[in-house]
Amino acid sequence: QVQLVESGGGLVQPGGSLRLSCAASGSIFSISAMGWYRQAPGKERELVAAFSSGGSTNYADSVKGRFTISRDNAKNTVYLQMNSLKPEDTAVYYCHALIATMMMRIDDYWGQGTQVTVSS
């Protein structure tokens, strides 16, 4: 079994910062793509930032220059540093990973989601 566990969400004022963490655990052979998506009420889930299987990073235009994704491969963990937060960043943030298990099965995995609310 593989689990993605997120942490770091919360309530922050506009202009503030938050750091999200997502740790993958379980029967993991390798992790290729890993990143963050978000879903606001009434909207579809969208990519925020992610590492592709080739190692490059992709960011949504709306977060470029404000958010930074990083990873610690030794800990199977990905981070999202969010600065200059805006009310429109309010959403549930989901961690995603493409993982090959020890059984050599490759699947998409999602975290349970963590709420980020930007409000004064």
Side-chain angles (χ1 to χ4, degrees):
Q1 290 286 357
V2 173
Q3 281 189 314
L4 300 181
V5 179
E6 301 137 336
S7 61
L11 173 65
V12 64
Q13 292 186 340
S17 298
L18 283 174
R19 188 191 193 210
L20 306 182
S21 299
C22 172
S25 62
S27 182
I28 297 171
F29 176 75
S30 66
I31 300 175
S32 51
M34 195 169 187
W36 294 93
Y37 289 71
R38 67 187 180 187
Q39 188 166 18
K43 295 188 177 181
E44 294 187 352
R45 190 172 297 188
E46 63 176 359
L47 171 72
V48 177
F51 289 99
S52 71
S53 57
S56 62
T57 54
N58 297 303
Y59 290 92
D61 288 342
S62 59
V63 308
K64 285 179 180 177
R66 300 188 297 123
F67 291 10
T68 302
I69 190 171
S70 60
R71 66 192 295 180
D72 184 334
N73 291 330
K75 297 181 178 180
N76 290 333
T77 299
V78 66
Y79 305 95
L80 184 67
Q81 179 65 44
M82 303 185 294
N83 297 328
S84 302
L85 282 160
K86 303 175 181 180
E88 51 263 43
D89 295 318
T90 296
V92 178
Y93 284 69
Y94 295 92
C95 178
H96 166 266
L98 187 63
I99 295 174
T101 66
M102 292 297 186
M103 298 300 291
M104 294 297 114
R105 180 186 173 97
I106 300 174
D107 282 309
D108 289 289
Y109 291 88
W110 293 90
Q112 79 282 1
T114 186
Q115 178 70 45
V116 172
T117 303
V118 184
S119 175
S120 54

